[in-house]
Amino acid sequence: VQLQASGGGLVQAGGSLRLSCAASGSIFSPNAMGWYRQAPGKQRELVAGITSGGITNYADSVKGRFTISRDSAKNTVFLQMNSLKPEDTAVYYCKFWVPLFAEYTYWGQGTQVTVSS
């Protein structure tokens, strides 16, 4: 599985960005896609995930501000980020995985999100 992410950039606090990630290759179902982020000096953390059945989960820090969605026909996941804060600054990584099968875990290249105060 190959993942192509896009949509990062620089935005002022309170602004919005939308990330996209398209998966291609051997797409197994059921599966899940999501976004993780890693700030300098910190561990990579889950931001939001969505299963092929549409079940979502979010980190507490982004609930109410970020929305994850997916176009299953195009194997693409989106992350709409609103009300961005400087602490959202990080490299955001797209992830594709098949639950219960750890060997089917794939990461996309990171995309930088920078929120200025």
Side-chain angles (χ1 to χ4, degrees), residues 38-103:
Q38 187 166 20
K42 295 188 177 181
Q43 290 189 328
R44 190 174 296 189
E45 62 176 1
L46 171 70
V47 177
I50 184 168
T51 70
S52 50
I55 298 172
T56 60
N57 68 303
Y58 295 91
D60 288 342
S61 60
V62 307
K63 285 180 180 177
R65 300 188 298 121
F66 291 10
T67 302
I68 191 168
S69 60
R70 66 185 290 170
D71 181 336
S72 294
K74 297 181 179 179
N75 295 310
T76 300
V77 65
F78 306 96
L79 184 68
Q80 179 65 43
M81 305 185 292
N82 298 329
S83 302
L84 283 160
K85 303 176 181 180
E87 51 263 44
D88 295 317
T89 295
V91 178
Y92 284 68
Y93 295 91
C94 176
K95 179 183 176 182
F96 173 98
W97 70 99
V98 178
L100 302 181
F101 293 91
E103 62 268 35

